[in-house]
Every structure is written in C-alpha cells, then in structure tokens.
Amino acid sequence: MNGSDTLNPELQLNIDEKLHQSGISQSRQKIIRQALENVNRPGFRIEPSAILPLMKPVTWFPPMWAFACGVVSTGESVTDNISILVRGVILAGPLMCAMSQTMNDYFDREVDAINEPERPIPSGKISKQASWLITFGLILTGFAVALSIHPYVMAIAFVGVLMSHAYSGPPIRAKRNGWFGNLIVGLAYEGVAWLTGSFAITQGVPSKESIALAIIFSLGAHGIMTLNDFKSVVGDKIRKVASIPVQLGEKNAAILASAVMDIAQIAAIAILVAKGSTIPTAIAVTLLIAQLPMQKILIDHPAEKAVWYNAFGTLLYVLSMMVCAVGIRP
C-alpha cells in the first residue's frame, strides 16, 4: 500500500476554496481541515474502540446474505451443512467484507476526511499504518477460514482480495469511476459470495440458474452502490471521484439506480417463471411492486431520501434474492 504523506500546498488551497464554496459551515470546515492533517500523520496509533467502526459492520450483510442464498439455492439441507454455512457467513462478512472496508478506508482516507471526518483514520483514532496492519490480519484470518471450507474457497478469497485492491487502490482504483467501481463491488458482494456459497456445499459447478441469478443480482447491486455514493457527493467532487451521482446528477442517478435494480429483479422473475416456481414468482413480483412507490419518492427527493431508500427499498431487493434462491432449488 502507498499514499502521499502530505497534501500538496496548492491542492490544500484548492480544497479550502472548494470547501468554502460548498456552503459547509465554518465549524465543519475546521473539523475537515484537522481530519486532512490526521490522515497522513506519521506514527502508529490505534484505539481499540475504533477497530470495529473501521471495519463497517453495516456493510457486512450483503455478502453474508448472498453466501446464504448460494447455500439455499443448492437444495441441500441447511441443518446438515450448518458448519459450512456459519464459516462461510463469517468469511463473507466479518472477514472479507471487513477487509475490503479497512483497505478502502486506507486508500480513501483523504476523501473520507471531507465526507466523513469522524471515520477512524480521519479522526486520528487509527493511523494509516495501523489500518494496514488490521487489513493484513483480516486477510490472513480469512484465508485460514476459507481453507477450512475448501482449498478452492481460499483461491476465491484471494481473488476477493485482488478485487478489493482493484476497487480502492492504485494503479486501477476503479472507484474513481462509478460505472466500473460499482460493478466490481456488486460482483464481489453478491455474485462471488453467492457462487461461493453454492460451491461450498456441492463442491461442484453451481446450477445454471444459480449462476444466472448470481450475475443478475450482482448487476442489480450496481444500483445499490450508486445510492450509497449519494452521501459522498461533496467530497467526491472536490477529490475528482467520478461517482454516478457526480457524473449524472442526483436525480438522474436515482432514476438509473432504480431502473437497474428493477431490471435485475424482472430478469430473476423470468427465471422463476421458466422454472415453474409459482409461489416464489408471486412473492418476487409483490416485492418488486412494493418498491415502485418508494422509488418515486427517491427520485423526487434523491439527496434527502437516498439513505432512507437504501435502508428500506433495498431490503425488499435482498429479500427477493432469497425468494429466488428458494425458487430455483432442485
């Protein structure tokens, strides 16, 4: 990992000017300036209470859920495979997802200093050196748990580490463009986790329906990631991160996110229809219809409602994932 030790004075002046133009309060600007100093301060600092926030537990649910969907989609008994399920869920969330978050916070520390100065690194609670040590520890622990499931699962975990670095770190740093960055996260959080869950149980190639659903819901997750970027618009503009809301504007980004999620669910419903799964099809259609009025509220007030929709509208999307997993069981 690498990163600049100090901000270029000219860049700092430009940031100060943009902070002033953004309408951020003076007190908030002071906090941000202090955070910008903290992120590259030398030395090793770590407050134990800040370790869990660094790993962002709120982000663990999607890959954990996707792994569980992959397990359920096999049609095998969950109770007979409870050990694999538990280890896989731990691998997907508290280890690999947490690793991706700590890695992202390292590489994104200067953007976070503007968007979320209370985060562990910008606030000075964890130094960038300490954050890398935590990331490395999660990687090693993740590999050990993955190997306990199957050697191929450890290989998949290694690919997950590479995807995390491609998203956050140089030279690719895919997150600088929302089209590519969101795609990588969707594939990692939903598709890879889903297919790993399926493989961990059967130790064979997943069914064609399972593969199709994993890809479909991964692409749909691009919309979820777009909504997640709404909270970072100010900092992304200042640091020239081309997220979808920055590129398209907030209203158009909300329309795109909704459309992407809806199209994915329609495609998944088509698979259920082809499979002849009547009840799961009806439930999936109901969940999709329930999202439509919520999406209208989101599109009418994108900046104010993005977090709200990500909490409630997205919940219906992920419920549809499990419904579809049940619907394709042999």
Side-chain angles (χ1 to χ4, degrees):
M1 290 185 174
N2 53 42
S4 59
D5 291 330
T6 58
L7 283 176
N8 182 291
E10 183 179 341
L11 178 59
Q12 179 66 62
L13 182 62
N14 188 38
I15 290 176
D16 288 343
E17 182 181 344
K18 288 184 176 179
L19 285 174
H20 179 71
Q21 293 173 349
S22 68
I24 296 174
S25 68
Q26 288 294 326
S27 60
R28 184 71 172 176
Q29 288 184 43
K30 183 178 179 180
I31 294 173
I32 291 173
R33 291 190 185 95
Q34 181 60 57
L36 287 167
E37 293 180 12
N38 289 338
V39 293
N40 290 313
R41 183 178 296 167
F44 188 92
R45 300 176 308 282
I46 183 167
E47 293 186 13
S49 62
I51 295 176
L52 191 61
L54 181 71
M55 297 190 292
K56 290 186 181 178
V58 71
T59 66
W60 299 352
F61 176 75
M64 293 167 67
W65 185 255
F67 185 93
C69 288
V71 170
V72 169
S73 71
T74 65
E76 299 293 331
S77 169
V78 172
T79 55
D80 290 346
N81 295 280
I82 193 67
S83 175
I84 292 177
L85 175 62
V86 171
R87 281 178 286 161
V89 166
I90 291 173
L91 174 66
L95 293 175
M96 298 309 294
C97 183
M99 174 278 301
S100 72
Q101 295 300 330
T102 60
M103 183 183 290
N104 182 69
D105 268 28
Y106 174 89
F107 287 117
D108 226 24
R109 59 191 184 276
E110 291 176 358
V111 176
D112 284 345
I114 299 171
N115 290 323
E116 300 178 273
E118 69 283 351
R119 292 289 301 152
I121 299 178
S123 66
K125 295 177 181 177
I126 294 180
S127 64
K128 65 177 185 178
Q129 294 87 349
S131 74
W132 165 232
L133 181 64
I134 294 169
T135 299
F136 190 66
L138 289 169
I139 291 173
L140 291 181
T141 306
F143 284 171
V145 173
L147 183 59
S148 76
I149 299 174
H150 194 281
Y152 285 175
V153 175
M154 191 179 79
I156 295 170
F158 180 74
V159 172
V161 174
L162 295 181
M163 292 177 73
S164 295
H165 192 278
Y167 174 73
S168 302
I172 298 176
R173 195 156 164 74
K175 73 170 299 173
R176 285 202 170 274
N177 188 304
W179 297 104
F180 304 117
N182 292 358
L183 178 61
I184 287 179
V185 174
L187 289 171
Y189 279 24
E190 308 294 353
V192 173
W194 179 304
L195 295 177
T196 303
S198 177
F199 172 82
I201 299 299
T202 64
Q203 296 186 8
V205 177
S207 69
K208 61 181 184 298
E209 292 91 354
S210 187
I211 293 173
L213 287 179
I215 293 172
I216 286 168
F217 283 114
S218 294
L219 296 176
H222 193 289
I224 299 175
M225 293 305 301
T226 295
L227 295 177
N228 190 56
D229 286 336
F230 273 74
K231 70 180 188 300
S232 306
V233 171
V234 173
D236 287 347
K237 287 180 178 179
I238 291 174
R239 302 297 299 184
K240 300 188 185 306
V241 175
S243 66
I244 301 300
V246 169
Q247 292 187 55
L248 301 183
E250 294 174 353
K251 185 178 182 68
N252 288 335
I255 293 172
L256 175 69
S258 300
V260 167
M261 295 169 70
D262 290 350
I263 291 171
Q265 291 172 88
I266 291 170
I269 289 168
I271 291 176
L272 294 181
V273 171
K275 187 76 174 176
S277 301
T278 306
I279 294 177
T281 297
I283 296 173
V285 169
T286 301
L287 289 171
L288 174 58
I289 292 173
Q291 293 168 58
L292 300 181
M294 301 172 72
Q295 289 173 355
K296 184 179 186 308
I297 294 172
L298 168 68
I299 292 168
D300 289 342
H301 308 281
E304 297 84 357
K305 295 297 183 179
V307 174
W308 166 80
Y309 188 85
N310 240 346
F312 297 102
T314 299
L315 175 61
L316 302 181
Y317 178 92
V318 299
L319 286 175
S320 183
M321 291 173 58
M322 184 60 76
V323 170
C324 292
V326 172
I328 64 168
R329 288 163 63 93

